[in-house]
Amino acid sequence: MMRKSTRRIGVLTSGGDAPGLNAVIRAVVKAASGMGWETLGIQDGFEGLLGEKNYRVLTNADVQGLLPRGGTILRTTNKGHFGVRNPNVAPEEDPYVQAVQSIEELGLHGLITIGGEGTQRIALELYKLGAPVIGVPKTIDNDLAGTDRTFGFDTALQVATDAIDRLHTTAASHNRVMVLEVMGRHTGWIALHAGLAGGADVILIPEIPFSIDTVANKIREREERGNTFSIVVVAEGSRAVDGDVMYVSDGRLGGVGQFVGDRLQQLTDKDTRVVVLGHLQRGGSPTPYDRLLSTRYGAAAVSAAAKSIFGEMVALRAQDIITVPLTEATGHLKTVRPHSDLVLCARALGVSFGDE
Ligand code: F6P
């Protein structure tokens, strides 16, 4: 039995929201209070550590009912003032130095940083400056290295798979090609998993650049075999072999679904419609899998703090929750291996990736 002591830990959520954030916060508060510790919820991500500190004490009563609730009660910010650190800037103007000072002033024994690669990169920088950080891997994209799974991914999959199911019935009724653009940034985890789970005919992912002629041929072949409709799932970060990744605006991916739909309509002469699933993949209640994973991550992060394990991130490895150095989780993304068994399985079932 671990001895009880009076300690204070902090928790914050940073980057794009994902279903399960509140479930992690709840688990942190409950596990910490079980050890007699106080939890401070830092609001608006790392921004809450700058200037007038923005935080609130979280009690068990505050986290009641949070397990199924989407979003984050602490709110979140994308990067904010925490761009790539400039070591030449004066300490009083360095947000990283200010954040470390705030962590000390608040008397935090540990700071739990829930977020994706960008968040864990900020956490690592703070750790190098002496802050006791512990990461929790979040993102619907599942692209964070060092862990088998991020929470939020399963819920996004559920939404995307449901969308494919619904598109099937309307596509079949109208003999149409339906193109579904899903999120995932520069990786194809959501497209590949949902595409397979939903029985898509074509799956386009960033890791396998596609030829639009090959995709059109696939649809024609299906037609010749009597399949009068087709479902194409496109990850937002996909690109044609002779094209670039497409953006809707400053750094926001999007547009490839419309491009694919327009070209397929021209090349196959089939009635084609495009659906962009967007933030529906991030909103709402987490699936049971994500609730469980988030809960395990939250409890494991507190347990790491109790053992003074810092500069690490909790992670899922096979059936276990372990910790990995933040350096393992940052600097590169976990991408779909083009020859992985999932891709081979899809090919064996006749799914086209638009490349051969
Ligand atoms: O990283 C999660 C994610 O939803 C990506 O899949 C997507 O590209 C991006 O965030 C969208 O960001 P924003 O919410 O800023 O539009």
Side-chain angles (χ1 to χ4, degrees):
M1 243 318 254
M2 200 159 308
R3 288 239 324 275
K4 290 198 175 191
S5 61
T6 309
R7 271 182 178 164
R8 198 180 227 200
I9 53 165
V11 58
L12 62 79
T13 55
S14 170
D17 72 336
L21 283 168
N22 279 329
V24 180
I25 296 168
R26 169 183 176 270
V28 166
V29 171
K30 286 175 85 87
S33 93
M35 298 202 292
W37 297 6
E38 183 180 57
T39 305
L40 295 193
I42 312 295
Q43 309 202 99
D44 299 318
F46 293 99
E47 296 295 295
L49 293 169
L50 298 180
E52 189 95 341
K53 293 181 261 307
N54 185 2
Y55 66 89
R56 59 195 258 218
V57 174
L58 292 174
T59 64
N60 281 340
D62 294 317
V63 297
Q64 230 170 32
L66 274 196
L67 190 54
R69 209 197 298 172
T72 161
I73 57 162
L74 295 175
R75 298 189 303 270
T76 181
T77 311
N78 279 334
K79 277 200 189 114
H81 288 83
F82 294 82
V84 177
R85 181 163 182 250
N86 175 0
N88 301 319
V89 85
E92 57 279 12
E93 281 167 25
D94 184 340
Y96 286 89
V97 172
Q98 284 176 36
V100 174
Q101 275 169 3
S102 296
I103 293 166
E104 279 167 17
E105 284 162 17
L106 291 171
L108 300 182
H109 169 71
L111 174 65
I112 297 170
T113 57
I114 314 173
E117 201 269 339
T119 300
Q120 305 314 340
R121 232 182 311 145
I122 298 170
L124 177 60
E125 213 50 65
L126 296 176
Y127 175 66
K128 286 186 195 155
L129 291 170
V133 297
I134 307 137
V136 172
K138 164 236 74 173
T139 165
I140 64 161
D141 305 328
N142 198 37
D143 62 356
L144 191 54
T147 184
D148 291 353
R149 275 276 171 126
T150 53
F151 74 83
F153 176 60
D154 189 68
T155 309
L157 266 191
Q158 167 106 1
V159 173
T161 305
D162 180 56
I164 298 170
D165 287 348
R166 288 169 190 276
L167 290 177
H168 258 109
T169 60
T170 174
S173 306
H174 288 268
N175 299 327
R176 279 176 174 158
V177 175
M178 298 300 274
V179 177
L180 177 69
E181 181 184 299
V182 296
M183 284 184 164
R185 282 212 292 180
H186 298 289
T187 64
W189 295 106
I190 297 177
L192 177 59
H193 283 236
L196 260 174
D201 307 297
V202 177
I203 301 174
L204 304 179
I205 60 175
E207 293 86 346
I208 306 177
F210 64 88
S211 148
I212 197 70
D213 291 321
T214 307
V215 179
N217 284 341
K218 168 76 182 174
I219 286 161
R220 282 195 211 99
E221 273 167 29
R222 280 178 53 76
E223 195 82 7
E224 278 156 23
R225 277 190 273 117
N227 297 307
T228 56
F229 71 93
S230 292
I231 304 288
V232 180
V233 177
V234 193
E236 61 181 357
S238 309
R239 67 175 179 87
V241 270
D242 52 358
D244 288 326
V245 171
M246 300 174 85
Y247 293 90
V248 277
S249 63
D250 54 337
R252 282 183 55 222
L253 288 163
V256 67
Q258 193 62 50
F259 165 77
V260 168
D262 290 347
R263 295 288 290 128
L264 288 181
Q265 170 106 30
Q266 288 166 357
L267 291 168
T268 65
D269 215 19
K270 281 203 62 84
D271 206 14
T272 302
R273 295 289 186 272
V274 177
V275 174
V276 179
L277 202 48
H279 291 77
L280 288 173
Q281 291 157 102
R282 267 169 43 180
S285 188
T287 58
Y289 180 92
D290 274 338
R291 293 180 199 190
L292 187 58
L293 187 59
S294 302
T295 300
R296 294 175 76 194
Y297 279 156
V302 173
S303 157
K307 295 179 200 136
S308 293
I309 295 172
F310 301 119
E312 305 245 331
M313 179 182 82
V314 296
L316 180 69
R317 188 68 51 85
Q319 294 189 35
D320 299 315
I321 304 291
I322 59 166
T323 64
V324 296
L326 280 171
T327 45
E328 226 179 87
T330 52
H332 66 289
L333 294 177
K334 182 179 68 187
T335 55
V336 173
R337 280 181 294 115
H339 299 290
S340 59
D341 77 291
L342 262 187
V343 174
L344 298 182
C345 163
R347 288 196 198 276
L349 295 180
V351 173
S352 169
F353 287 86
D355 61 329
E356 53 189 43

